[in-house]
Amino acid sequence: MVRAIVDQAAGGSMARRGAITVAGRRLAPTPVFDTYWRFAEARQRIYIARLRGAPRPWTQDPILAHYRFTNCYRAADRVSQHLIRDVIYRGNQTWSEVFFRTVLFKLFNRSSTWRRLSAAAGPLTWCEYRFEALDPVLSEALAAGERLYSAAYVIPPPNLGEARKHRNHLRLIEMMMESSVPARVADARGLREVFEILRSFPTFGNFLAYQFAIDLNYAPALTFDEMEFVVPGPGARDGIRKCFGAAADGIEADVIRYVADTQEQHFARLGLSFPTLGGRRLQLIDCQNLFCEVDKYARVAHPGIAGISGRTSIKQNYRQDAEPLTAWFPPKWGINDRLPTAAPLAQ
């Protein structure tokens, strides 16, 4: 059972945390920095307990039990799992088709939207794509009051001549496919170059282009290193501000790299035993996400420590999903046979 982390995180001393130097700046960690590591360990233990089929409660921490937080590893979250297992690795494995499916899924980032499209239009492929086949399905769902888009992050509509957001996004996919983006991405020399290609298209700001680059990199055709670079999102910037104050403004990417590079040192410093994902260390994208999650957690655990946004409450309460938890990752990572599984039922 995971121990509560609220009191422990709030009680750490500055001397124990110690000042650190990142990108030539001396940063003085707040108590939230220790919370970052304790949160990561506690959240990952919840995930492992659920994979093993352990019954609730999975934690004694009242904040983790009451509110919704994403997993420590981005690829372990439900939407990413659906993308990896049912979108990227299922269906035609020609790279242009994998690229098409991935971008189509991610522009909505909502499993129910993908399932609706698949049920109405059959296997979703670029070679058989027709705007006139997908638009009515999405328009009817919208008219019925259904949500088409995930609330995880905002995906702004490009201005491509259509009156509806989803129609403009379909036009964006057409533009990308007709501009030979799959081939350009396949020829890229690294993750940053993939990011730059995506960034050149309407609607793709820095954060969104980075997120899509990570998603495309799950595919077997791309083998870029997730540790190459990172783009901090607004939530991560909030979490970093809470961990280090305004002195970290402008060097957030360097802070995330520092955290990723020194993760074992800090877990050991706090006497924590972090259960990795089949031996896979936290990557830059995971550490970026954890800063976003600790920002939310600190709104309750450390209400006196301000971030940038000024938000003081956590919007989403925990609600157990009826669908079973899955754990299947890109085979090229080599971790699927090292993951914990549910214990067999007693005879």
Side-chain angles (χ1 to χ4, degrees), residues 261-272:
D261 288 345
T262 61
Q263 57 190 274
E264 290 86 3
Q265 170 188 330
H266 286 288
F267 284 128
R269 173 177 65 82
L270 294 167
L272 302 173

Side-chain angles (χ1 to χ4, degrees), residues 273-344:
S273 177
F274 179 76
T276 62
L277 190 69
R280 182 178 174 85
R281 301 174 76 243
L282 293 167
Q283 304 290 295
L284 289 173
I285 182 66
D286 306 316
C287 294
Q288 192 275 156
N289 282 8
L290 278 167
F291 272 116
C292 183
E293 297 307 292
V294 84
D295 162 53
K296 293 189 295 185
Y297 186 93
R299 295 174 199 172
V300 178
H302 305 281
I305 299 180
I308 299 171
S309 68
R311 294 174 181 168
T312 58
S313 61
I314 305 174
K315 290 183 179 180
Q316 292 185 305
N317 293 343
Y318 174 74
R319 183 176 56 195
Q320 188 168 353
D321 199 307
E323 294 187 17
L325 189 67
T326 63
W328 192 85
F329 300 92
K332 60 188 176 182
W333 290 2
I335 65 172
N336 286 326
D337 60 351
R338 301 204 297 265
L339 299 173
T341 57

